Amino acid sequence: MRQELGYKEKSGQFTKFGQWYADRVQDTQYRDAPWCDMFIAWAADKAGISQYVGQFAWTPSHAAWFMRQGAWTQKPEPGALVFFDWRGGKSYKGIDHVGIVESVKGSKIHTIEANVDGIWLKRKTRETDKVVGYGVPRLVKATADQPVEIRLTERPFVPASRSGSGSPLDFLGTPPALLTAMVLMTVVLSLRFSGRRRGTHRRFTWPWNAPTHPHPSATPPSVKKPPVAKAPPSENARVKAPPSENARVKAPSSENVRAKPHATPAPAPRPARPRVPVGSATTAARNPTPTRRKPYELD
């Protein structure tokens, strides 16, 4: 690095450091770009410490990389990278220049910087009022060189893989099983409290379900007559009464019965008559046979 002190950029802001970086990232725009950070990337590559220093061309990204590595500090030390904001800001987003701390004396730092005073690679003595922070490659290296066992503890907890086929009951604790149980429970509760199970809905019979004002031409629904208790048959009930004139009266037709809105109550059953032997005196007295007069007989 010190062998390059006094290097001066060529016309058009071309530098060998920019050419090296452009070839590395396969982008020609870096051949004539500001080269303070590309010089540090070139020097780290020559020294074989790129993994601890980083390779950047944009200074805010380089500072953010040190922050992610846990190697960002406000205390200068030899070998650290110093990041400047010429406007005096303290955010890494405003960084616009970087150099290497060569030594620290009192409140001042002695640096090696590229692209200073317009075109030079040279030593500088700086105050710290424009310094945003320091990136320390030593801290990056210390973190990277930690034993694997220690670095693995910093990773999120990963459950150990289970060996063997396992038990079929292991499925009960999986998310699909829990989701299935929740769906089944929801269905059971909805059927229990919905009140729409089969057989619970009853319909009342007529006249509650009949229309309030039936149409005149509509035929009223048929009404089932209540069953009439029949008396047990007896020997006396087998005797049929003789036909009479009153019995010849015909029953009202079915048409007249249909016209009535309400059913006529059924007549009460008649008491059975006792059986009387034919020719007895009681029968003759009850049904006297009139004596037919002859036309030629005189009173």
Side-chain angles (χ1 to χ4, degrees):
M1 178 185 294
R2 292 184 175 91
Q3 291 80 2
E4 299 298 327
L5 288 171
Y7 179 86
K8 183 180 179 181
E9 68 181 35
K10 306 302 186 284
S11 61
Q13 206 174 358
F14 174 85
T15 62
K16 64 178 182 180
F17 311 113
Q19 180 65 55
W20 171 85
Y21 194 88
D23 294 341
R24 189 175 185 85
V25 299
Q26 299 296 313
D27 192 343
T28 58
Q29 68 174 330
Y30 292 101
R31 296 177 57 186
D32 52 1
W35 50 287
C36 62
D37 211 357
M38 290 189 289
F39 163 71
I40 294 177
W42 177 87
D45 181 74
K46 295 300 181 181
I49 57 173
S50 297
Q51 57 181 332
Y52 309 131
V53 176
Q55 294 186 337
F56 293 87
W58 194 43
T59 51
S61 297
H62 202 171
W65 180 80
F66 276 109
M67 293 177 184
R68 290 193 299 269
Q69 300 295 324
W72 183 258
T73 181
Q74 299 296 321
K75 183 179 180 180
E77 64 178 67
L81 274 63
V82 54
F83 293 88
F84 298 93
D85 182 355
W86 301 131
R87 293 180 297 273
K90 296 302 178 181
S91 172
Y92 78 95
K93 296 180 181 180
I95 294 173
D96 45 22
H97 186 63
V98 63
I100 301 173
V101 177
E102 189 175 18
S103 63
V104 180
K105 293 182 180 180
S107 60
K108 295 184 179 181
I109 56 176
H110 299 269
T111 63
I112 297 176
E113 303 174 24
N115 195 27
V116 293
D117 298 334
I119 56 175
W120 295 97
L121 171 61
K122 57 189 302 186
R123 286 187 172 97
K124 298 289 289 186
T125 301
R126 300 289 190 184
E127 300 287 346
T128 58
D129 57 335
K130 304 294 184 181
V131 175
V132 178
Y134 302 89
V136 184
R138 175 182 59 83
L139 298 178
V140 177
K141 184 178 184 299
T143 304
D145 292 345
Q146 288 180 357
V148 177
E149 293 79 6
I150 298 177
R151 283 188 288 151
L152 285 178
T153 59
E154 300 174 358
R155 299 175 56 190
F157 174 74
V158 179
S161 59
R162 298 180 180 179
S163 59
S165 58
S167 173
L169 297 178
D170 293 340
F171 175 74
L172 298 179
T174 59
L178 297 177
L179 180 61
T180 304
M182 292 176 62
V183 172
L184 292 177
M185 183 63 67
T186 303
V187 172
V188 171
L189 293 177
S190 62
L191 291 177
R192 183 177 180 85
F193 295 104
S194 63
R196 301 185 67 87
R197 292 178 296 175
R198 182 176 298 178
T200 58
H201 185 68
R202 297 174 54 189
R203 295 186 62 185
F204 296 97
T205 56
W206 186 85
W208 290 276
N209 290 338
T212 307
H213 301 287
H215 196 271
S217 62
T219 304
S222 59
V223 181
K224 294 183 179 181
K225 297 180 180 181
V228 179
K230 296 182 180 181
S234 60
E235 295 296 332
N236 297 333
R238 295 179 181 179
V239 178
K240 296 182 180 181
S244 60
E245 294 297 331
N246 297 333
R248 295 180 182 179
V249 180
K250 296 182 179 181
S253 61
S254 60
E255 296 180 358
N256 296 333
V257 173
R258 294 178 182 177
K260 296 180 179 181
H262 301 284
T264 305
R270 296 180 181 180
R273 296 180 181 181
R275 184 175 181 179
V276 180
V278 179
S280 62
T282 306
T283 305
R286 183 178 298 177
N287 298 320
T289 304
T291 305
R292 189 174 183 179
R293 293 180 61 186
K294 297 180 179 181
Y296 53 85
E297 290 181 1
L298 301 176
D299 295 335

